[in-house]
Each structure stands twice: as C-alpha cells, then as structure tokens.
Amino acid sequence: MVCSTVREGMNCPFMTAKGCNYNGGICHEIDEKCKGCNRSTEFSSRWYCTVSPDPSLKWKNGDCNFASHVSAASNGKKAKLNPLKASKRSNR
C-alpha cells in the first residue's frame, strides 16, 4: 500500500488499512553511515532510506547490503590455477 505517515506517496510493505504496522508505527531517519547513499531521500525536511524502515539495523552486522556508496574490498587472493589447463593455453 501507499505510505501515509512519513514517506507519503511511496509504496510500503508495512502499510495496512489500519496504518503503519512497523515497529513504532513510523520509519526511522538514516544513520550517519548512510550519508552519500543513492537510496536516501528527503521527506518533510528529514532524510529517510527508501529501502529499509530502520537503516541502523542494516549497519548492525557490518556494511549495509544496499549501500551504494560502499564498495566491497577485495581480499587480494588470486584464484587457483589448474596447471593442466594452463599448460594447454600456453601451447596455443
């Protein structure tokens, strides 16, 4: 249904005919870690996440999986090379 509390006009899975059934009844503002994300939008002079009603929970166990401003760090390990296939490639 369409949100009628904080993010008016947007589809929300927590809206029902009786109102918002999310914990607390309203969406929470973005966390400091969310600054710069493409998924944050301003509603009534406050910034909210368009994906999650409580963005601080997304950052609880590390990086948010929806954060567009955070890139995944590579661990620097190279994939194991099959020596038989490598020898066949070098013969070409």
Side-chain angles (χ1 to χ4, degrees):
M1 291 188 75
V2 177
C3 182
S4 63
T5 56
V6 176
R7 301 183 300 176
E8 293 182 20
M10 292 194 67
N11 283 332
C12 181
F14 299 105
M15 283 303 292
T16 62
K18 296 179 182 178
C20 185
N21 66 356
Y22 183 69
N23 186 19
I26 58 168
C27 294
H28 299 280
E29 290 185 56
I30 62 171
D31 199 64
E32 288 183 20
K33 299 173 189 173
C34 296
K35 302 260 190 229
C37 184
N38 292 339
R39 291 174 174 34
S40 59
T41 309
E42 187 175 12
F43 293 100
S44 53
S45 72
R46 293 187 177 173
W47 288 89
Y48 295 94
C49 182
T50 57
V51 178
S52 173
D54 193 359
S56 62
L57 293 177
K58 297 299 242 173
W59 292 95
K60 185 177 179 182
N61 296 326
D63 290 340
C64 174
N65 58 333
F66 291 113
S68 62
H69 62 292
V70 176
S71 61
S74 174
N75 58 5
K77 293 182 182 179
K78 292 185 179 179
K80 186 175 179 183
L81 203 64
N82 186 339
L84 182 61
K85 288 184 178 182
S87 67
K88 288 182 179 180
R89 288 182 188 143
S90 66
N91 288 337
R92 288 184 191 177

